[in-house]
Amino acid sequence: MNRILIVAEHLDGKLNAAVAKCVSCASAIPDAEIDVAVLAIDGSAVAAAAAGIAGVKRVLLVKNAANEPALAAVLAPQVAELAKGCSHVFGPSTTFGKDLMPRVAALLDAPQLSDVMAVESATRFKRPVYAGNAIATVESAAGRQVVATVRVASFQPAAAGGPAPVETVAVAAELPSHTRFVSVTAARSDRPDLQTAARVVSGGRALGSKENFALIQGLADRLGAAIGASRAAVDAGYAPNELQVGQTGKIIAPELYVAIGISGAIQHLTGIKDARTIVAINKDAEAPIFEVADYGLVGDLFSLIPEIEKQL
Amino acid sequence: MRRILVALKRVIDYNVRVRVRPDGSGVVTDGVKMSINPFDEIALEEALRIRERGGADEVLAISIGPDDTQQQLRNALAMGADRAILVKSAQAIEPPAVARVLLAFVERETPMLVILGKQAIDDDCSQTGQMLAALWQRPQATFASKLELTEKVARVTREVDAGLETIEVDLPAVITTDLRLNEPRYIKLPDIMKAKKKPLDVVELASLGLDAASQLTVVGLEPPPQRKKGVMVKDAAELVATLRQKGLV
Ligand SMILES: Cc1cc2nc3c(=O)[nH]c(=O)nc-3n(C[C@H](O)[C@H](O)[C@H](O)COP(=O)(O)OP(=O)(O)OC[C@H]3O[C@@H](n4cnc5c(N)ncnc54)[C@H](O)[C@@H]3O)c2cc1C
Ligand SMILES: Nc1ncnc2c1ncn2[C@@H]1O[C@H](COP(=O)(O)O)[C@@H](O)[C@H]1O
């Protein structure tokens, strides 16, 4: 029996879509018994959502006023306590999971596998290294606890099921006060979320200004797409940081990815390898983005975007 | 003394197109350019700026790696670090072991801040800073894009999926850097000369008496599945028609 604990990410009473993907990954482990831990102030809605994912055996709800907004230093000792007796502890490979899981691993004296993209057995996993230029097969010692983050772009969400029972549990863990939440600035928009959108339109340095970046927004709106950006576009202030796609931004797997005025640096391509169809628009026929694009169009984006909109 | 410890890893330069060896035993490293991990250069730059503002007295650069890592540490000294320590290990060690080594030096050097990169661009683990913070039982502020210091606390803006989050942590603390924290300075020739006189201590990993054994075994490496080069379309009309035909728009 492999007992797997998945740490649920949630915000404003909503379960993050990455959790159902973590359940898919965990379900690929033979003989898996999956618990989902919800650490929240109240958490009943989040727990109910987690209980409705097929494959989940139990939801463990830990209520504590210190649990929201989530701080890794506060959550880690509680997760480590819940993880006692588990063979695996999983979290999503989002900034939430990347921040939290290594702290949990250190408390458990366990190794961590980051960005698991495939499960070969209970102890053997695949993960990308060197910005995705190589895939490593990694084996953990049998009988040893393993912590992992799950590369969400590699897994489909588990189906709806259950409902699994929700157990409110108390954990005896001392919580630190040395880390305090101050604020978060999140651009709330009606656009589809970059990480889960079926279509994404991304703009690069070629847009040249924040004002011109509105062209990308216009096309995205026409396509019902989320907006992405290259690092160069974010660094130049044309787009906010949460829209960056790539090795150090978001790793996405949309049905359609449209890269406009983006050269196709390896660090950018890392973020879009799993896209079903890639379209590239670039004035340079030699741009590396065309090496990976399913459909390429050479030309000036400033005239092509309006033409495309006219055709839609 | 108010000290900042910066952890630097020697990695394959980010401009190199990394290739897997045909036998899958690793990646091609012969004749390949090695550099300081880009995120760690940002970590060092931030530490230097804090010292230059009068917020710290000493910047100590530390790396665990093969003997050749002295080159990267010399570069760190040329950038402006006051001293450097190489913990020599021919074998690469995993984040939990790196964290234990760093903890040993943290206990010895009692820094007010430890700054690391958010991830090493070879193993892409993004673990070491968080593990060090856990072992040290101190705060962590990961993926930092802005850092403000007062005597006792650091206010850190973090790049998170939702946008930008600000947290406040008591010192001493562990910070990991994101790309937009700063732009590292270039090294000037006179700095390279000056760096030759700065202290660079070399200690053997084994002499620390720590458990640095691997907990994971890399069974093999393979190249990623390659995407095939697709087709070029001639204009906007053909593009839209093709996408429509495929049911993509
Ligand atoms: C450690 C590290 C991590 C990184 N992580 C990321 C990451 O996560 N994501 C990321 O994107 N990058 C990342 N980068 C940066 C990456 O290396 C590139 O610098 C970046 O992706 C370039 O962005 P770009 O394609 O927009 O700009 P450029 O490379 O400048 O490309 C602009 C393109 O626009 C084309 N163009 C110009 N004018 C027009 C026009 N009028 N019409 C059509 N085309 C035009 C040009 O031909 C060119 O191909 C990282 C780098 C490092 C070192
Ligand atoms: N061998 C090493 N020597 C010094 N610092 C390291 C080493 N390995 C990792 N680090 C630090 O830890 C950060 C994160 O590395 P990783 O957890 O491996 O992605 C790096 O950016 C470095 O700052």
Side-chain angles (χ1 to χ4, degrees), chain A:
Chain A
M1 168 88 67
N2 289 298
R3 268 195 62 204
I4 304 167
L5 182 71
I6 295 173
V7 185
E9 175 171 0
H10 57 92
L11 187 67
D12 299 337
K14 286 199 196 71
L15 185 69
N16 190 296
V19 178
K21 298 181 172 189
C22 292
V23 173
S24 275
C25 175
S27 302
I29 292 175
D31 225 358
E33 188 180 296
I34 302 168
D35 289 346
V36 175
V38 175
L39 294 91
I41 296 176
D42 168 58
S44 43
V46 176
I53 301 173
V56 175
K57 178 94 186 297
R58 281 187 311 170
V59 175
L60 306 175
L61 176 58
V62 183
K63 296 185 187 185
N64 190 320
N67 283 346
E68 288 177 71
L71 292 167
V74 171
L75 299 187
Q78 303 175 66
V79 174
E81 193 60 36
L82 291 171
K84 285 199 174 135
C86 290
S87 54
H88 303 71
V89 191
F90 283 5
S93 190
T94 54
T95 51
F96 165 84
K98 288 180 183 173
D99 187 35
L100 172 62
M101 300 313 285
R103 191 160 180 126
V104 172
L107 295 178
L108 294 171
D109 194 19
Q112 174 173 309
L113 289 137
S114 299
D115 302 312
V116 166
M117 56 191 292
V119 174
E120 309 263 283
S121 76
T123 54
R124 199 179 266 225
F125 305 87
K126 289 194 179 205
R127 60 173 299 260
V129 290
Y130 295 98
N133 281 311
I135 310 295
T137 301
V138 184
E139 176 95 38
S140 65
R144 177 120 201 211
Q145 209 170 26
V146 178
V147 173
T149 58
V150 175
R151 184 177 183 273
V152 285
S154 298
F155 295 91
Q156 292 298 318
V166 177
E167 294 174 18
T168 302
V169 293
V171 289
E174 210 183 307
L175 306 186
S177 58
H178 54 47
T179 305
R180 295 168 297 273
F181 173 83
V182 177
S183 63
V184 67
T185 52
R188 308 230 169 249
S189 83
D190 305 332
R191 285 211 181 75
D193 171 53
L194 175 57
Q195 265 164 317
T196 47
R199 299 180 191 136
V200 174
V201 179
S202 265
R205 194 199 307 273
L207 270 300
S209 71
K210 197 173 176 174
E211 292 67 44
N212 288 346
F213 206 83
L215 282 171
I216 299 293
Q217 286 151 11
L219 182 57
D221 287 345
R222 289 295 293 273
L223 292 171
I227 297 172
S230 71
R231 177 188 167 195
V234 174
D235 282 358
Y238 309 162
N241 69 288
E242 64 268 21
L243 299 189
Q244 183 174 315
V245 171
Q247 181 189 17
T248 48
K250 288 180 176 142
I251 312 278
I252 56 175
E255 291 294 312
L256 175 66
Y257 186 75
V258 185
I260 303 183
I262 293 178
S263 59
I266 184 78
Q267 294 90 359
H268 188 80
L269 300 184
T270 302
I272 58 170
K273 281 210 166 92
D274 296 305
R276 177 73 62 87
T277 301
I278 297 176
V279 171
I281 297 174
N282 197 301
K283 71 172 184 192
D284 174 10
E286 304 295 317
I289 189 79
F290 289 125
E291 296 299 317
V292 300
D294 298 279
Y295 304 104
L297 176 53
V298 177
D300 180 7
L301 71 91
F302 294 103
S303 56
L304 285 172
I305 292 180
E307 283 172 35
I308 291 169
E309 283 182 4
K310 228 185 300 160
Q311 300 287 332
L312 284 170

Side-chain angles (χ1 to χ4, degrees), chain A residues 95 98-99 114 126-127 130-131 135 137 139 144 180 182-183 185 235 244 250 273 275 293-296, chain B residues 122-125 127 130 140 142 161 164 166 168 170 180 215 217 219-220 222 227 230-231 233 246 248:
Chain A
T95 51
K98 288 180 183 173
D99 187 35
S114 299
K126 289 194 179 205
R127 60 173 299 260
Y130 295 98
I135 310 295
T137 301
E139 176 95 38
R144 177 120 201 211
R180 295 168 297 273
V182 177
S183 63
T185 52
D235 282 358
Q244 183 174 315
K250 288 180 176 142
K273 281 210 166 92
D294 298 279
Y295 304 104
Chain B
D122 50 3
D123 64 26
D124 282 332
C125 278
Q127 299 174 8
Q130 298 89 311
Q140 68 189 46
T142 53
D161 290 340
L164 295 171
T166 304
E168 207 175 72
D170 294 340
R180 275 173 282 276
Q215 296 173 302
T217 314
V219 182
E222 59 193 300
R227 287 189 80 98
V231 296
V233 294
K246 300 269 171 201
L248 288 164

